[in-house]
Amino acid sequence: MTTQHVLVIGGGSGMGLALARLLLDRGDRVTIAGRSADRLARAAAVLGAPGLLRTRQLDITREEQVRDLADTGPLDHVVVTAADATGAYAPLGEFDLERARAVVDTKLLGPWLVAKHVRPNPGGSITFTSGVAAYRPGPGASVIASANGALESLARALALELAPVRVNVVSPGWVDTPVWDVLAGEAKHERLAAMAGRLPVGRVGRAEDVAGAFDAVLRNGFLTGEVIHVDGGHRLV
Ligand SMILES: NC(=O)c1ccc[n+]([C@@H]2O[C@H](COP(=O)([O-])OP(=O)(O)OC[C@H]3O[C@@H](n4cnc5c(N)ncnc54)[C@H](OP(=O)(O)O)[C@@H]3O)[C@@H](O)[C@H]2O)c1
């Protein structure tokens, strides 16, 4: 199999980091991108593979920075896992408009900017990350649920507009990643254990579960305009 160059925006942690590890282990070239230089440096130290891995400081909500991605060189695939969940959940009456706009900026308009400015090689793909909140929104999830749903609609539109580049979405359920670190120590453990008990598979997801789904989407040249659910059966309960 020929090696490929994959840009993972959000690859400094969580699912994006797991995907970078999977791709590097196979010998692909990977660029991981995110806002924090420290986070990227820590990820690079964990991943090793200096000849294959590059890092790129980038805020996906800033158009000039996304436009400059052209200088990363030819890309086969782009995966966007970037999201800033800080303040993403709040009761409607207390939801701050600025915070709501920030969620939409990272989860919807950031991916839209990537599609606008980053063009993978022919035969390549762009894959976004939505989430089960689009289908099973909990209390306080009005903005993240609608951003996830809109992102899936965006992918269907782009699958036509950018064809033959393939555009897809992976929709994770509850997955144990740093995104839950907003819940300190024991609270995180208890919340994830309670979530696990509600799922048909009896556990929450691991970053590697979702990385495998991204990889399958990247490799399947007949898949476009599609949403792949990796949620432990969450939508069934
Ligand atoms: N974990 C779950 O249970 C779950 C469930 C459903 C959906 N999801 C979705 O899955 C995706 C991946 O999340 P994760 O769980 O892997 O969380 P994560 O570990 O927090 O990863 C998110 C990454 O996005 C980067 N990021 C945030 N804002 C950015 C911006 N403006 N520009 C560029 N990079 C940015 C962060 O790095 P910097 O802060 O350094 O920028 C971070 O490395 C997200 O879209 C999330 O909404 C997660």
Side-chain angles (χ1 to χ4, degrees), residues 26-27 32 48 62 64 94 103-104 137 151 188:
R26 206 173 33 218
I32 55 172
R62 304 285 297 275
E64 71 282 5
E94 295 164 26
V103 173
V104 173
L151 184 64
K188 175 177 176 179

Side-chain angles (χ1 to χ4, degrees), residues 24-184:
L24 290 166
D25 284 351
R26 206 173 33 218
D28 285 331
R29 288 180 299 117
V30 177
T31 300
I32 55 172
R35 294 168 302 179
S36 160
D38 282 352
R39 200 199 282 266
L40 292 171
R42 283 197 304 273
V46 168
L47 290 169
L52 297 175
L53 177 70
R54 284 188 294 169
T55 62
R56 175 75 176 228
Q57 213 176 345
L58 165 84
D59 184 338
I60 198 175
T61 68
R62 304 285 297 275
E63 181 158 19
E64 71 282 5
Q65 294 184 23
V66 177
R67 190 187 292 118
D68 285 350
L69 280 172
D71 65 24
T72 54
L75 287 163
D76 296 294
H77 304 282
V78 182
V79 176
V80 181
T81 64
D84 184 345
T86 321
Y89 293 84
L92 191 55
E94 295 164 26
F95 219 122
D96 175 68
L97 178 59
E98 220 167 288
R99 194 51 231 162
R101 285 198 171 120
V103 173
V104 173
D105 274 356
T106 45
K107 284 237 57 162
L108 179 65
L109 293 177
W112 178 79
L113 284 173
V114 170
K116 181 177 173 189
H117 291 294
V118 184
R119 194 65 65 245
N121 292 331
S125 71
I126 299 175
T127 308
F128 301 138
T129 313
S130 62
V132 72
Y135 300 85
R136 292 287 181 276
S142 59
V143 175
I144 193 77
S146 42
N148 281 335
L151 184 64
E152 295 178 0
S153 295
L154 172 68
R156 284 187 284 274
L158 293 175
L160 293 175
E161 189 163 347
L162 299 184
V165 170
R166 298 179 296 109
V167 185
N168 292 292
V169 179
V170 169
S171 175
W174 293 325
V175 182
D176 185 359
T177 70
V179 86
W180 294 103
D181 288 350
V182 285
L183 306 169

